[in-house]
């Protein structure tokens, strides 16, 4: 017991040993909120106040759930694997698997991730002959998810005009399609399990009586439905223990509602509000910078946070002229850090948008530095993996039209668009799945479809195989392996397919055992369907080389809750971070800029010892060159905390009077066509004034340079004509 309570400060100790009652732990980043959850659970169990099955704990990611289980297992000699610890999605999936009949779902229902959902919507629009310009699939998905997150089924959605009524009609048709195909999207997992409990009183009472203590991490980012779900489960007198930080609420765009914190306090008359004010993570300068940034948000609950460590090093800021150079500078800096003994896994490269990872990955790859990308194109989202999973999904459920459509002609087996249209019509007429409609299609197309049906049948006959062998069998028999062997750049895809077999093997080793909660195990397809659910839920966390010492690349959103010794935040440019969409946007009267600032606060507070901030004058993004000003958030960092690695940029503009300096190894050698000018050089123009060369094209008499003249704008100049002089 004592060891359980060791290393906790007084308010943490108070939180861990609170007598059973509702509690809200409201505290800033790095103050040990997440850290109090395992000892709290262990204390409740070891003092006999609850048994392990009586605990429900909600984490923000699957990774965090695993960590919590590991820490708990180190504290108590109990089987943590059977405990209900997971994300909202994971827990709802578990509930629906155990009670699929009551929930009106097939036993082997499949989960649609967001890309699957979009293609399901596309298919729906096509089958209904709806113009997808009028109803873009992406927006329709957002609409559907937003309704579900408010707990609204189509019949409950208000619509005032024809267009809105039509949209609700599409929502309804989408639901029917999902039901027919036996698939659920992410929002549906939550709504369906909420409705299951709400409508099935005995079942609801069972769980209400079972879960005596409900703990929630990252509570500030719960949405309305998640909060209602928690309230329902706690309705039998369970105690809610929620931890959160209003300054880190960064998912409003997905329906998260920071107002849940105040609602919780009021509705549950929470008697215990505990604040943790000591930050154990970051050195003082980093914390001061974070506090100075977040102070600019007018609507906050307000918290104090002081560092446990000394002030540490200054925050380093670097200005580069292009994203490529920013990436090369990061590579050089990382190499230097390595020489100083920093482990790569303790260095994180954070960015605001996924697309930014490309330039970084390119430079890291060239330098031979191992790295892992979280998010972005995750392992389970890669095309070849999704193809293999689609075959597996058809083994579990032949009515899964999304899976069917994905692989019916992949690898190519000569099934043309015409045959597929006929098949779709036949399925629509018979109100059946595509697979079931195959016998209705005549002619040569019909014969090819029938051959595909036989392939699926023979794959299904192999379903008795242990999961990893089944996956290997599918990769071979489907023709995927042969297809990628013949493809020029197929090697990496083949490696990924092999990695899928490995993933299945480790999944079975870790999770394939029966558990104590009455979930069906050992029956046909159970391992398969839980593996498929795992693939949908845990995308990105099975990337190759998990244990390797690799740099950690991720968006700021996916860095929430994590910490690293060294953090680089790149792309600090207005329009990128803060994101341009946020600058004009307001939501519920709150500005999008405030959410961006919270995101910046999250980013800065990930760092323990050293923080780098960088920005580029020009950046290629989505195929366009963009010219941005330094992020306004840079101005919010007090000057005394900062060390500029390049001459300081002027307020609201670039340091046009000086070219950035580069490490010797990556000095740019480009000169503009032998003109004597080079990129990055400062120049003077009679009319536009002082500028810096940011790009060059052509040569000889055709040489052109692009110059950033600050206030006078960015211009292309023909050197043969323009009167341009070197400025230093
Ligand atoms: P975030 O808001 O970013 O999620 P958090 O409040 O959940 O942060 P934790 O991740 O729990 O904070 O803790 C931050 C770091 O401080 C961790 O490395 C943790 O081990 C350490 N820490 C927390 N409390 C203490 C303590 N009492 N003594 C020593 N280290 C501590
Ligand atoms: Mg945390």
């Amino acid at each position: 017991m004592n060891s359980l309570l060791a290393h906790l400060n007084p308010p943490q100790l108070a939180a861990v040993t609170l007598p059973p009652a509702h509690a809200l732990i409201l505290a800033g980043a790095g103050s040990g909120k997440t850290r109090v959850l395992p000892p709290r659970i262990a204390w409740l169990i070891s003092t006999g106040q609850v048994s392990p099955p009586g605990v429900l704990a909600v984490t923000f990611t699957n990774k965090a759930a695993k960590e919590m289980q590991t820490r708990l297992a180190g504290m108590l000699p109990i089987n943590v694997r059977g405990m209900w610890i997971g994300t909202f999605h994971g827990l709802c999936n578990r509930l629906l698997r155990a009670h699929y009949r009551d929930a009106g779902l097939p036993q082997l229902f499949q989960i649609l991730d967001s890309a699957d959902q979009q293609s399901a919507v596309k298919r729906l629009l096509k089958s209904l002959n709806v113009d997808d310009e009028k109803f873009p699939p992406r927006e329709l998905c957002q609409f559907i998810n937003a309704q579900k997150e408010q707990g609204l089924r189509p019949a409950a959605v208000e619509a005032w005009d024809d267009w809105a009524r039509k949209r609700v009609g599409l929502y309804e048709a989408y639901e029917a399609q999902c039901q027919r195909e036996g698939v659920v999207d992410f929002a549906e997992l939550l709504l369906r399990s909420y409705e299951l409990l709400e409508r099935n009183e005995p079942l609801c009472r069972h769980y209400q009586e079972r879960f005596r203590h409900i703990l929630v991490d990252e509570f500030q980012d719960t949405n309305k439905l998640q909060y209602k779900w928690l309230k329902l489960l706690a309705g039998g007198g369970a105690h809610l223990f929620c931890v959160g930080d209003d300054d880190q609420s960064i998912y409003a765009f997905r329906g998260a509602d920071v107002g849940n914190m105040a609602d919780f306090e009021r509705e549950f008359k929470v008697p215990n509000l505990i604040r943790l004010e000591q930050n154990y993570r970051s050195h003082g300068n980093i914390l001061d910078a974070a506090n100075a940034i977040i102070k600019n948000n007018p609507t906050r609950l307000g918290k104090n946070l002081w560092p446990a460590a000394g002030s540490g090093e200054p925050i380093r800021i670097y200005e580069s002229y292009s994203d490529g150079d920013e990436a090369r500078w990061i590579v050089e800096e990382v190499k230097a850090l390595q020489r100083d003994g920093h482990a790569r896994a303790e260095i994180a490269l954070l960015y605001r948008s996924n697309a930014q990872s490309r330039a970084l990955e390119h430079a890291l790859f060239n330098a031979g530095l191992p790295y892992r990308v979280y998010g972005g194109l995750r392992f389970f989202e890669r095309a070849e993996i999704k193809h293999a999973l689609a075959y597996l999904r058809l083994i579990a459920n032949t009515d899964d039209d999304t899976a069917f459509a994905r692989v019916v002609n992949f690898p190519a087996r000569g099934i043309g668009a015409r045959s597929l249209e006929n098949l779709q019509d036949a399925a629509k007429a018979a109100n059946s799945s595509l697979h079931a409609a195959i016998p209705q299609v005549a002619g040569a197309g019909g014969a090819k479809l029938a051959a595909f049906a036989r392939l699926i049948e023979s794959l299904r006959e192999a379903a008795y195989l242990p999961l990893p062998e089944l996956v290997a069998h599918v990769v071979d028999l489907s023709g995927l392996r042969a297809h990628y062997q013949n493809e020029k750049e197929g090697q990496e895809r083949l490696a990924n397919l092999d990695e899928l077999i490995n993933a299945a093997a480790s999944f079975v080793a870790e999770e394939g055992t029966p558990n104590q909660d009455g979930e069906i195990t050992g029956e046909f397809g159970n391992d398969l369907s839980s593996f498929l659910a795992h693939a949908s839920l845990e995308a990105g966390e099975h990337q190759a080389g998990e244990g390797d010492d690799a740099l950690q690349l991720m968006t700021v959103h996916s860095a929430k809750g994590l910490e690293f010794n060294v953090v680089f935040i790149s792309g600090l440019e207005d329009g990128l971070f803060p994101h341009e969409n946020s600058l004009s946007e307001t939501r519920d009267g709150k500005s999008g800029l405030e959410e961006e600032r919270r995101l910046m606060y999250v980013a800065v507070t990930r760092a323990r010892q050293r923080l780098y901030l960088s920005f580029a004058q020009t950046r290629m993004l989505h195929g366009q060159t963009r010219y941005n000003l330094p992020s306004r958030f840079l101005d919010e960092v007090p000057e005394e905390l900062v060390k500029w690695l390049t001459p300081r940029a002027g307020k609201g503009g670039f340091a046009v009077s000086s070219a950035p300096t580069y490490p010797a190894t990556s000095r740019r050698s480009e000169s503009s066509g032998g003109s004597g000018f080079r990129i990055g050089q400062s120049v003077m123009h009679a009319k536009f004034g002082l500028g810096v060369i940011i790009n060059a094209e052509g040569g000889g008499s055709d040489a052109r340079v692009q110059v950033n003249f600050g206030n006078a704008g960015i211009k292309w100049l023909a050197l043969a004509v323009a009167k341009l002089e070197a400025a230093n």
Side-chain angles (χ1 to χ4, degrees):
M1 167 82 85
N2 279 343
S3 69
L4 203 158
L5 301 178
H7 310 297
L8 295 170
N9 65 27
Q12 286 175 328
L13 185 67
V16 166
T17 57
L18 275 179
H22 302 305
L24 176 62
I25 315 299
L26 174 68
S31 58
K33 295 183 298 298
T34 303
R35 185 178 153 121
V36 300
L37 294 173
R40 169 70 176 165
I41 297 172
W43 184 81
L44 287 169
I45 294 174
S46 63
T47 52
Q49 309 194 51
V50 70
S51 62
V55 175
L56 179 82
V58 189
T59 59
F60 202 70
T61 60
N62 293 300
K63 194 167 167 236
K66 282 239 165 70
E67 270 167 27
M68 189 179 290
Q69 287 181 329
T70 311
R71 292 200 55 204
L72 206 49
M75 293 176 176
L76 289 179
I78 53 168
N79 175 15
V80 294
R81 211 185 265 181
M83 291 181 68
W84 284 61
I85 297 176
T87 61
F88 278 108
H89 288 143
L91 295 167
C92 290
N93 174 50
R94 187 165 181 171
L95 201 64
L96 294 176
R97 297 269 166 212
H99 306 286
Y100 64 92
R101 262 198 214 100
D102 291 329
L105 288 169
Q107 181 178 4
L108 301 179
F109 71 85
Q110 299 301 312
I111 302 169
L112 298 183
D113 66 17
S114 42
D116 292 334
Q117 188 189 20
Q118 258 190 58
S119 61
V121 161
K122 259 189 214 150
R123 223 164 6 86
L124 176 77
L125 296 177
K126 193 142 186 266
S127 77
L128 297 175
N129 284 324
V130 175
D131 183 357
D132 64 5
E133 303 226 320
K134 262 202 191 129
F135 293 96
R138 212 181 125 93
E139 279 164 32
L140 195 52
C141 286
Q142 280 168 356
F143 168 74
I144 291 170
N145 296 341
Q147 304 315 304
K148 289 187 182 183
E149 271 151 19
Q150 296 171 58
L152 298 175
R153 293 294 182 191
V157 181
E158 291 179 0
W160 303 107
D161 58 24
D162 280 352
W163 181 81
R165 272 188 289 276
K166 176 103 190 165
R167 189 162 71 158
V168 174
L170 290 172
Y171 174 17
E172 198 170 357
Y174 167 76
E175 281 202 319
Q177 174 177 302
C178 289
Q179 189 63 30
R180 195 173 59 239
E181 297 176 4
V183 295
V184 300
D185 56 47
F186 283 154
E188 183 73 24
L189 279 175
L190 204 76
L191 181 53
R192 188 68 73 116
S193 69
Y194 176 78
E195 290 172 346
L196 168 71
L197 294 173
E198 196 192 33
R199 289 172 192 170
N200 190 330
E201 218 204 301
L203 192 70
C204 187
R205 215 168 330 114
H206 164 80
Y207 282 105
Q208 285 179 337
E209 281 166 17
R210 172 182 171 162
F211 296 126
R212 306 314 299 160
H213 286 271
I214 301 177
L215 300 93
V216 190
D217 196 3
E218 304 277 2
F219 185 63
Q220 78 280 357
D221 267 330
T222 50
N223 66 32
K224 277 280 170 240
L225 184 58
Q226 289 165 339
Y227 180 50
K228 275 169 72 176
W229 188 89
L230 290 169
K231 281 204 288 194
L232 189 59
L233 276 174
H239 303 296
L240 271 166
F241 186 98
C242 302
V243 313
D245 175 5
D246 59 309
D247 288 333
Q248 294 186 72
S249 153
I250 54 175
Y251 280 95
F253 72 98
R254 263 207 229 150
D257 185 351
V258 67
N260 287 345
M261 296 181 94
D263 290 353
F264 169 55
E265 217 188 324
R266 199 185 60 247
E267 292 172 7
F268 284 79
K269 303 194 177 55
V270 175
N272 301 299
L273 178 77
I274 293 190
R275 294 176 187 272
L276 308 175
E277 304 195 311
Q278 189 151 9
N279 173 298
Y280 287 92
R281 179 181 295 146
S282 310
H283 280 157
N285 286 340
I286 296 172
L287 200 59
D288 287 350
N291 286 336
I293 291 167
I294 199 67
K295 226 177 46 210
N296 294 291
N297 270 3
T299 48
R300 319 170 49 211
L301 298 176
K303 289 177 294 292
N304 288 327
L305 211 51
W306 62 79
S311 38
E313 305 171 350
I315 291 156
R316 294 163 165 82
I317 303 188
Y318 186 86
E319 172 181 11
S320 63
Y321 62 80
S322 74
D323 50 346
D325 271 289
E326 182 185 50
R328 280 187 288 273
W329 163 73
I330 289 175
V331 163
E332 293 306 319
E333 206 62 35
V334 165
K335 284 185 186 161
L337 286 163
Q338 276 187 293
R339 282 194 295 274
D340 292 345
H342 287 270
R344 283 190 290 267
E346 272 306 328
I347 303 175
L349 313 189
L350 307 184
Y351 35 82
R352 173 67 181 84
S353 307
N354 262 315
Q356 281 171 259
S357 80
R358 192 194 46 80
L360 290 170
E361 287 189 65
H362 185 66
L364 294 171
F365 180 81
N366 283 343
L369 282 172
Y371 63 88
R372 281 193 71 193
V373 183
Y374 289 76
L377 211 49
R378 299 152 165 180
F379 180 73
F380 283 113
E381 288 171 1
R382 295 186 180 145
E384 63 278 16
I385 299 302
K386 295 202 78 166
H387 285 131
L389 291 174
Y391 282 101
L392 289 166
R393 282 164 56 162
L394 287 174
I395 292 178
N397 170 16
T398 49
D399 292 341
D400 186 336
D401 282 358
T402 304
F404 186 99
R406 175 174 273 274
V407 291
V408 61
N409 197 35
F410 193 95
R413 37 181 79 89
I415 298 174
R418 185 43 126 350
S419 311
L420 285 180
E421 264 166 38
N422 291 341
L423 182 63
Q424 251 150 15
D425 292 346
K428 203 166 146 195
N431 193 22
S432 75
S433 68
L434 295 170
H435 178 267
I438 286 180
Q440 316 299 326
V441 182
K448 284 179 183 151
L449 283 167
F452 179 66
R454 283 195 297 280
L455 169 65
I456 298 305
E457 205 38 54
S458 53
L459 289 174
R460 285 170 67 87
E461 280 162 15
Y464 66 89
L465 288 172
L467 185 64
E469 286 170 43
L470 178 63
V471 175
H473 182 70
V474 161
V475 169
D476 289 337
L477 201 66
S478 63
L480 285 174
R481 185 176 296 281
H483 172 83
Y484 289 119
Q485 268 162 353
N486 293 332
E487 202 176 64
K488 227 163 126 204
E489 313 217 335
Q491 284 320 308
E492 195 190 326
R493 295 184 188 276
L494 284 173
N496 284 337
L497 287 172
D498 287 334
E499 183 56 31
L500 181 66
I501 300 169
N502 294 341
S506 55
F507 176 78
V508 171
E510 281 171 27
E511 329 242 335
T513 45
N515 67 39
Q516 59 192 45
D517 301 305
E519 288 184 65
I520 2 87
T521 51
E523 286 175 30
F524 158 74
N526 189 58
D527 272 357
L528 174 59
S529 76
S530 33
F531 179 62
L532 290 171
H534 160 89
S536 309
L537 291 170
E538 216 167 305
E541 299 187 19
H542 237 294
Q543 211 168 177
E546 193 156 355
D548 296 354
D549 182 26
L551 290 167
Q552 312 285 306
L553 270 68
M554 67 194 83
T555 62
V556 181
H557 277 104
S558 31
K560 200 163 77 146
L562 306 179
E563 57 188 24
F564 307 91
N565 287 344
V566 181
V567 169
F568 288 82
I569 308 171
S570 62
L572 278 166
E573 294 135 37
D574 254 25
L576 194 57
F577 197 2
H579 197 276
E580 55 204 352
N581 294 348
S582 74
L583 297 177
S584 52
E585 179 188 340
T586 59
R587 200 182 285 109
D588 303 334
K590 287 200 180 161
S591 95
L593 185 61
E594 283 185 44
E595 177 141 326
E596 292 292 305
R597 194 174 277 113
R598 288 192 293 271
L599 200 52
M600 180 67 181
Y601 175 77
V602 168
V604 168
T605 53
R606 297 310 95 196
R608 290 198 191 102
Q609 299 161 6
R610 189 181 281 197
L611 177 66
Y612 292 93
L613 308 175
S614 66
F615 60 100
Q617 298 173 2
T618 66
R619 181 176 300 276
M620 275 291 284
L621 210 62
H622 309 301
Q624 276 181 336
T625 306
R626 308 157 52 111
Y627 307 91
N628 297 315
L629 295 174
S631 169
R632 63 193 70 191
F633 297 149
L634 287 169
D635 287 338
E636 296 177 3
V637 181
E639 231 161 300
E640 64 273 16
L641 305 177
V642 164
K643 175 180 167 193
W644 281 79
L645 302 178
T646 43
R648 194 200 192 306
K651 279 220 159 106
F654 290 107
V656 287
S657 59
S658 54
T661 52
Y662 297 92
T665 47
S666 70
R667 190 177 294 279
R668 304 270 302 227
S669 57
E670 295 102 325
S671 68
S672 46
S675 59
F677 291 111
R678 64 181 167 80
I679 294 178
Q681 184 175 5
S682 296
V683 288
M684 179 60 109
H685 186 274
K687 181 161 169 214
F688 306 126
L690 204 54
V692 63
I693 299 185
I694 56 176
N695 208 346
E697 270 183 7
S701 62
D702 190 32
R704 302 175 296 272
V705 291
Q706 194 177 28
V707 185
N708 182 351
F709 287 106
N711 289 342
I714 289 161
K715 318 209 177 278
W716 276 105
L717 303 171
L719 287 177
V721 189
K723 296 205 167 47
L724 207 58
E725 287 170 19
N728 52 3

